[in-house]
Every structure is written in C-alpha cells, then in structure tokens.
Amino acid sequence: MGKPTGFLEYQRLSEANRPVEERVKNYKEFVVHLSDDEAKVQGARCMDCGIPFCMNGCPVNNIIPDWNDLVYRQDWQRAWEVLDSTNNFPEFTGRICPAPCEAACTLNINTDAVGIKSIEHAIIDKAWENGWVVPKVPAVKTGKKVAVAGSGPAGLAAAQQLARAGHSVVLFEKNDRIGGLMRYGIPDFKFEKSHIDRRMEQMRAEGVEFRTNVWVGKTMPSKGIVNDAKQSVSPEELLKEFDAVILTGGAEQPRDLTVPGRELNGIHYALEFLIPQNKEVAGDQPNPTRATGKHVVVIGGGDTGSDCVGTSNRHGAASITQFEIMPQPPEQENGPLTWPNWPIKLRTSSSHEEGCERDWSVVTKRFEGENGQVKKLIAARVEWKDGQMVEIPGSEFEMKADLVLLAMGFTNPVGSMLEAFGVDKDARGNAKASTEGDNAYATSVPKVFAAGDVRRGQSLVVWAIREGRQCARAVDEFLMGSSTLPR
C-alpha cells in the first residue's frame, strides 16, 4: 500500500451532512462526498492486511484495496476503472448500500473501519464529472434477443451486461419510469433519481430498449400503488419472440399486521406512503397520504421504516414514533466476536437524527378510532425467552396515532408473474433457481431465468447488482455456449 502506517496515523472521517434545519425543507440529497484530500487520507488508512476480507464482505467483490491505494495516490481515473470492472452502478451503492464491506474490514475488529463507501462515492462522482463514464457499445451483435422483466438494480445490471455482450435486450417495467423500487421505494433525499436517468442514457447508447407501463403476465391486474401498467405481454409472447427471458421483479408483498382495527383509515403499508411521495417529487400528482400535523407511528425498525420517518419529517408531522418488536441492539458490537460478519448493533439513520422517538420490544395489539379513522394504538412491551416472544404483564399502553405506517419488511415477490410463467417456487414463494452449476439462475421453465429479489427474497441493492451480473453471464453461456462476461 502507498502508506503502510496510514491506519495508525489517521482517523476515520465520515461524509458530512447538510444541517437538519436546511435539509428537511426539501427532498434533495444532503450528503457531501469527501474532498480529494479527505479521500486520500481515507485511502491511506487501508491496511496491507494480506487477505482483503472487505472484498468477501462486498457482494459484487469490489477490488477495494486496489482503488483505495489508487485514490491515495490520486490516480482517480485508474481507481474508476478498477471500480467499474466489478460494479455497474457504484453511484447507487455509494449512496444507499449499508456497506457490508466496512463490517468485514480488518480494521473493524478493534477500531473504525476504512471509509470504503465514502471513497466509492467520491470515485464515481469524479468519474461522471470528468466524462469517464461512457457507453460500451459491442463491436459485434449476436442476433440473440433477451427480455428482462423488472427494471430494478438486478434487471438493469443484467440488461447492461447482456447488451455489452452483443445481445438485443428489451427491459420491461410495469410502472411509468425505470428503476423499480429503487425509483419509487427509496426517497429522493437518500437517492436522487437523476442517477438512474443518467445510466439509462448510457444503456440506450449500448443498445438496451426500455418499455414502461407494461405488465408481464397472463392477466393485467387492476391498477394499484405499484402498478402503472397500461398494457400487458404474456409469457407465451415473450418466449416466442425472445431467446431468453430473465425475471427480476422485486419483493413487493409487504408483511401485514393482522390485529383488531387494521381496517381503519389512516393505516397504510409503507410503500403506499413512499411511492406516491416519490411520484410527487418527480412532478406527478400530489401524495394523497400526508403526515402534516399528524401523530405518526411507524411500525418496523428497518430502512423502510427510517424512510417513512424522513418523509414524515419533511411533511411536518406533529410527532413521529418508531416501534420495533425486537430488543434494542447494543450500541457497539463485539468486534472480535462478530467480525467479519454483519453485526447486529444500534444504527441511527440520518432520518432519526432529524427527529423521531424510537422504542424497542413493543408489540401492537390493536388500533382504535373514531368515524372510521385511526386515532390511537394499543401496544404492550414484550421480552424474548428461548426465542419466543412473551408479553410482559401489566405493560400495555396507548399512543396517539393519526397515521400508522407498516414497515415490517416484505415476504415474497408478487406471485402473479411467477405463476404466469409456471416456474417452481421455493418455500418462501420466490422463484426457485440455483446460483451455481451449469444451470445457474435457470428456473424450472426452459429459457426462463430469475435473479435479484424475485429469486433470493428481500435484499440489498448490491446483492441485486451481483445477481444481475451473474445471471447475465449464465444467460450468455446459455445462448452462446460460453461467455467472456465477468461473474
């Protein structure tokens, strides 16, 4: 490494956030990436640790030590080339990935990890600023056609890789804009959608065709919050027209809370709140679900719940409370015990910092309302014994709630597309397909492959990119007998 003792000399420096009072007035990104000098110092902290566990922690196996060293040497263009070799969309992961690479950093055993995500963010922003991100148009077309159903990160990665291999690729999306839940499920203050639009321009130049408002399946369902389709295409039509079909839909089936009072107005799935808000920010119709002046309760302690908190803050909620059924995790993990795995520890998001009361080991028992509108919830405290949840006697309490947002995760992909193709499902309702062997990512139906959340269940953007890339190689091998695409 360029600075063998850098990890002893320099401290971790996190990216700066714009002030809370400024950022809650709009939906723009507020994270300020590192300056060149700051990134250089962070790159200097990367150890010559022999075995780069950070690369194992990264689902796309980014060659992290190499581009850390190149940033330390201020060779930004080569750093970009190394980053680009493994990750199709580092401007996505550099903003919204939770950075499992940093959890696996050797420094993280007993001190602060290298700021890998912040360095990645700085590299890709500089690459765009300097015009290094250009279309990679294939020299020869293969004559093969591939359909990709679903335009989230898995579909985008698969489509881009296959187009670069010379295949004609058509990407189908049921909503009116490309990006899947990355477009409509993640608020703009975390991830502005211009990043997707910019990549679409590159992909069009590489030969990818985008078709929006198209439902892939036998029968188009009635229009819903995550379905803007105006026409449908059947599996039979796709299998007749294309040489291969890749299913890359998201895990959009939210986990429900079946307690008394669930039918009251003012109780919504998180996406029923977040998607219309993203559409409003994009210039579409206003979000009909407003948190302004309301007592908001978010049930679920993950990233989606945090997104509901941040959006409610921007609406001007009277109060925001977030419940989690699991116990409060420790503020600091036991590094020697958990490393290099992803640790369970207390994570406070930028949305929490903007204003939110958080509570753990809480179960919602029922909702109560007036004239059909929710007004309060009744909850109780629980403890966990031998893996079982036990309500603590006498712990029941009530809380004002004008707006309740259910953010308890997603159980499986919407099954209609899988059922339409007739692919086998696993025990969780996902498309059944292995990631290894001669039939990697292939479903039980000939010519039909699956990748991303539709195959693995609810997961991270970086895992979706990995699966899209690996599936693209598998499809290329299926079509051509061999492949030069990286896996």
Side-chain angles (χ1 to χ4, degrees), residues 245-265:
V245 177
I246 306 177
L247 308 180
T248 61
E252 295 178 1
Q253 191 64 48
R255 185 173 283 106
D256 203 353
L257 185 62
T258 54
V259 297
R262 170 66 178 87
E263 74 285 352
L264 290 168
N265 294 325

Side-chain angles (χ1 to χ4, degrees), residues 365-432:
K365 300 186 69 175
R366 65 185 182 276
F367 300 105
E368 296 181 3
E370 298 174 5
N371 302 317
Q373 172 67 38
V374 68
K375 290 297 181 182
K376 62 181 177 180
L377 63 78
I378 310 302
R381 302 199 175 276
V382 298
E383 57 184 351
W384 293 82
K385 296 180 178 179
D386 299 324
Q388 300 294 316
M389 183 183 72
V390 180
E391 183 178 331
I392 300 175
S395 66
E396 191 171 289
F397 65 96
E398 65 179 52
M399 175 169 288
K400 289 182 179 180
D402 305 310
L403 176 62
V404 178
L405 301 171
L406 306 180
M408 302 174 294
F410 303 87
T411 57
N412 53 267
V414 177
S416 53
M417 182 169 69
L418 301 183
E419 291 157 5
F421 278 90
V423 303
D424 291 345
K425 300 179 185 178
D426 63 17
R428 296 181 299 159
N430 304 318
K432 189 175 182 180

